């Protein structure tokens, strides 16, 4: 069957399609049906089945006789360390850690925050939680204490699992002081913390609260897998919205298992035993779905890579890892390839490695620009598949289903909707638009299994953010069009979310940080185009009248404030002081127009602008920092 047959087959019988896909999961009690729509527009899948994620990701492979198969390859060019963990080994380690958590009171439904770098123990921590039916929430290491505190207060974790430090090229990131600072800042306090001490920099433990990773496991019996309902939350992953408060995306257990397992063959064309590598971070959705759960559920070998595409030690690292570990499917963000291309434009370093094991490259997380795709095709000589998805969905909305049928690639398009997704382009009134017409990208409800049924503790926000604008549809926040062949093109975000090096960030959250500076009266943050990172944030600051500080000082303080409050991942290094901000007569800041000026794009003078001369001032300020020169 080709793509069209499979897609039409799903459309004709979604219930049958997903019940069939659910057969690949080992249930304790099989679900009686797939879709539970009694509370529409809140939809659930496989709610009355009983299942355990960790059992499906680990134990069942050992029971099937694959205990010797490598589950995790750890490759850290930063420390020079390499390690392999077999499925049997992983089972022992995870059951032991889960035993320690249980011993200290963690039970089904409790939340556990995980704050760890790219080490196998991060995956073990996630799996130990799912073994107990505890709900983990992984927080990316590049976030500052304040962001961690916000997540602690929202998720109210019983425990936090952290590493003593992370390693960025040339510097050790001390996680422990960030963790201690976050617990201090948060109103909610966890009962205890488990700390994985890294050789590079062990941390001092707080007596009575902190437990060493290994010591906590001594004398504790290993934990068995706890059955949970199909709609039980497997994890919460916080992502940026329009305000400073991140959205807690809830991932339901049953649908997550069914959908991720389905994608491994049908989208990534991976067979059990194949080595699958997603060069991302466990703190992002790509890390959840394709460093941890997807490959393990499907019986693949996954790679935990602690390094960067360049500088660890050079732009040939990716090729070395692919060749050395026999990688079949490789997944990363376009920005990583832009970094490699910048350092090694002619692809000299790839010639030193045999990457003939590789079947395809998959790109996601941000727009894949044609130059990058063409360069990757040229040097790697494998198909390059862009695919589009979001933290909210957890897997591909639109992609190239290489395991069903590799469709012709149209550069600039992530290809076609996957089964489960009825993707439509809507006008402002919510009416479907024709081919090649630009509009809001929406997905007809219900969303498929594994996607978010709601936001953690925030059902109203879920309804308002995603379901209100277009009744009967999920609003993606992206704008684009579909061509006459059904290929989708993603053109822009419709909200204040920007994408910096594949990391999703909120300009609203950044504005809240800038506004907290005592000299800042008013501010705006926009995302401007950047050749390496896709977008970069730029801040505009209006200072209080009679401010005693110099503009340079305030800018420097704001850059530091952003690093302290949001973290280095915000990559906020550019800000300018301006007298006033361009606004509509009703007071709305014209951020879109400012972006066009910065990117030297044509723009229409907004009819509602209060005073058009302000735009020249904005242009001058941007030119002062190297933008708006075109
Ligand atoms: N812990 C602590 N700090 C971190 C971190 C982590 N896990 N990850 C990143 N940071 C820091 C970096 O050290 C950097 O700090 P600096 O300002 O002191 O240099 C800052 O956050 C910005 O990091 P990043 O955006 O990664 O930029 P970079 O300049 O270090 O590297 C790339 C640029 C393109 C090489 C890098 O962004 C990359 O590899 N991107 C891949 C994209 C990706 O994995 N996306 C995930 C979705 S698929
Ligand atoms: P995240 O939730 O961090 O995965 O970010 C999701 C957002 O990143 C999407 O809504 C898009 O704006 C953008 N994005 C992800 N993948 C792609 C892609 N393949 N092409 C264009 N934009 C993408």
């Amino acid at each position: 069957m080709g793509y069209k047959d499979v897609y039409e087959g799903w459309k004709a019988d979604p219930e049958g399609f997903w019940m069939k896909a659910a057969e690949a999961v080992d249930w304790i009690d099989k679900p009686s049906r797939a879709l539970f729509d009694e509370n529409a527009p809140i939809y659930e899948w496989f709610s009355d089945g009983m299942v355990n994620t960790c059992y499906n990701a680990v134990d069942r492979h050992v029971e099937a006789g694959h205990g010797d198969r490598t589950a995790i390859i750890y490759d850290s060019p930063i420390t020079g360390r390499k390690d392999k963990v077999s499925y049997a080994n992983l089972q022992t380690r995870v059951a032991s850690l889960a035993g320690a958590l249980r011993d200290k009171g963690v039970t089904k439904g409790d939340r556990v925050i995980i704050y760890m770098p790219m080490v196998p123990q991060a995956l073990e921590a996630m799996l130990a939680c799912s073994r107990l039916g505890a709900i983990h929430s992984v927080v990316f290491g590049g976030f500052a204490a304040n962001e961690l505190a916000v997540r602690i207060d929202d998720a109210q974790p019983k425990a936090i699992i952290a590493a003593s430090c992370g390693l960025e090229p040339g510097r050790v990131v001390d996680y422990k002081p960030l963790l201690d600072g976050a617990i201090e800042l948060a109103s909610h306090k966890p009962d205890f913390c488990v700390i994985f001490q890294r050789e590079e920099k062990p941390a001092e433990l707080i007596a009575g609260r902190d437990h060493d990773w290994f010591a906590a496991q001594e004398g504790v019996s290993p934990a068995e897998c706890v059955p949970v309902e199909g709609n039980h939350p497997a994890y919460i992953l916080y992502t940026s919205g329009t305000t400073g408060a991140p959205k807690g995306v809830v991932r339901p257990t049953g649908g997550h298992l069914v959908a991720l397992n389905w994608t491994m063959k049908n989208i990534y064309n991976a067979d059990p035993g194949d080595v699958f590598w997603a060069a991302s971070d466990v703190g992002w959705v790509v890390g959840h779905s394709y460093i941890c759960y997807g490959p393990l559920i499907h019986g693949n070998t996954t790679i935990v890579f602690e390094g960067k595409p360049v500088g660890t030690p050079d732009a040939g690292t990716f090729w070395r890892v692919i060749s050395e570990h026999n990688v079949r499917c490789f997944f990363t963000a376009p920005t990583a390839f832009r970094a490699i291309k910048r350092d090694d434009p002619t692809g000299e370093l790839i010639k030193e490695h045999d990457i003939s094991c590789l079947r395809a490259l998959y790109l996601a997380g941000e727009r894949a620009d044609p130059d990058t795709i063409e360069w990757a095709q040229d040097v790697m000589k494998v198909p390059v598949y862009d695919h589009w998805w979001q933290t909210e969905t957890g897997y591909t909305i639109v992609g190239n289903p290489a395991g069903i049928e590799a469709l012709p690639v149209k550069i600039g398009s992530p290809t076609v909707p996957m089964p489960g997704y009825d993707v439509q382009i809507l006008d402002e009134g919510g009416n479907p638009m024709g081919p090649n017409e630009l509009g809001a990208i929406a997905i007809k409800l219900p969303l498929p299994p594994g996607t978010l049924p709601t936001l953690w503790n925030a059902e109203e926000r879920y309804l308002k953010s995603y379901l209100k604008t277009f009744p009967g549809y999920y609003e993606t926040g992206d704008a684009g069009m579909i061509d006459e062949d059904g290929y989708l093109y993603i053109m822009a975000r419709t909200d204040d979310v920007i994408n910096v090096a594949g990391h999703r960030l909120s300009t609203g959250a950044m504005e809240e940080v800038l506004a907290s500076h005592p000299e800042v009266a008013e501010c705006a943050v926009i995302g401007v185009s950047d050749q390496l990172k896709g977008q970069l944030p730029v801040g505009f600051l209006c200072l209080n009248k009679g401010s005693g500080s110099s503009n340079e000082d305030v800018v420097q303080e704001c850059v530091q404030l952003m690093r302290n409050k949001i973290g280095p991942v915000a990559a906020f290094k550019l800000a300018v002081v301006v007298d006033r901000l361009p606004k509509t007569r009703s007071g709305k800041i014209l951020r879109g127009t400012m972006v066009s000026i910065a990117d030297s794009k044509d723009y229409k003078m907004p009819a509602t602008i209060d005073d058009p001369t302000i735009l020249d001032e904005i242009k001058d300020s941007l030119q002062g920092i190297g933008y708006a020169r075109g």
Side-chain angles (χ1 to χ4, degrees), residues 140-142 168 171 279-280 286 308-309 335 501-502 533 563 568-569 573:
F140 177 60
E168 283 292 291
R171 87 187 150 101
S280 177
V286 175
K308 301 268 175 180
T335 189
K533 297 196 178 189
R563 208 174 162 90
V569 67
K573 294 186 175 150

Side-chain angles (χ1 to χ4, degrees), residues 365-367 386-391 478 490 493 499 504:
E366 55 167 338
R367 184 175 168 267
D386 180 15
H387 57 329
W388 169 67
W389 48 298
Q390 307 183 311
T391 304
D478 285 311
I490 312 287
R493 283 292 297 190
N499 202 313
R504 175 168 158 183

